[in-house]
Amino acid sequence: MEDKDLHFMHIALEEACAAAGRDEVPIGAVLAGPDGTVIARNGNRTRELSDPSAHAEMLCIREGCAKAGAQRIPDCDLYITLEPCTMCAAAISFARVRRLVIGAPDPKGGGVLHGGRFYEQPTCHHKPEVVCLEMPECGKVLKDFFSA
């Protein structure tokens, strides 16, 4: 684990907490550029936007691609508090994200380390480097939200 990984994951946790404050499932994401700057940061907004695809990582990818003026962002790293679902895993692959850093695994709904394991499929054309930090605070935000 690198210091920058913890730095960006704490920003993603801030976004997860902000999502919980909006009564959204508390998942946060940060898209970091090759120079270590934050290109995009967001939390889930599926309810707010009435959009089932408005997951934190999807919103960051959309913003990053818009800023780059391209459909691919191959020099960027994506930090997410919870293992992405298969939809988001596919978008991460299609955007050619360089590195995916996960705060907590998701055995029930994850699509990277669990479930469909999207990056292991023969139809997947790009597999980012995947790092799972397994930070307890990432899981705690979700547990607290659902227990409330």
Side-chain angles (χ1 to χ4, degrees), residues 34-92:
D35 59 354
T37 59
V38 173
I39 294 172
R41 58 185 286 176
N42 223 317
N44 277 3
R45 293 181 183 275
T46 59
R47 291 180 178 154
E48 175 186 339
L49 300 175
S50 300
D51 179 355
S53 72
H55 292 191
E57 53 270 59
M58 297 289 280
L59 297 171
C60 284
I61 290 168
R62 289 176 186 152
E63 185 177 340
C65 287
K67 286 180 176 178
Q71 68 182 14
R72 295 183 176 153
I73 44 178
D75 296 327
C76 294
D77 298 342
L78 188 61
Y79 295 80
I80 307 166
T81 56
L82 185 69
E83 176 183 349
C85 68
T86 304
M87 172 186 71
C88 293
I92 291 163

Side-chain angles (χ1 to χ4, degrees), residues 20 30 33 43 45 62 71-72 75 86 93 104 129 131 135-136 145-146:
V30 174
R45 293 181 183 275
R62 289 176 186 152
Q71 68 182 14
R72 295 183 176 153
D75 296 327
T86 304
S93 176
E129 175 188 344
V131 176
M135 292 176 60
F145 177 80
F146 286 113

Side-chain angles (χ1 to χ4, degrees), residues 60-138:
C60 284
I61 290 168
R62 289 176 186 152
E63 185 177 340
C65 287
K67 286 180 176 178
Q71 68 182 14
R72 295 183 176 153
I73 44 178
D75 296 327
C76 294
D77 298 342
L78 188 61
Y79 295 80
I80 307 166
T81 56
L82 185 69
E83 176 183 349
C85 68
T86 304
M87 172 186 71
C88 293
I92 291 163
S93 176
F94 296 155
R96 303 296 196 263
V97 170
R98 181 179 71 109
R99 190 165 174 259
L100 171 63
V101 182
I102 299 166
D106 184 3
K108 284 178 77 175
V112 175
L113 307 171
H114 300 90
R117 297 179 192 249
F118 185 81
Y119 303 137
E120 305 306 319
Q121 301 307 312
T123 54
C124 178
H125 299 293
H126 170 74
K127 177 182 178 177
E129 175 188 344
V130 177
V131 176
C132 185
L133 301 180
E134 298 198 32
M135 292 176 60
E137 53 266 58
C138 290

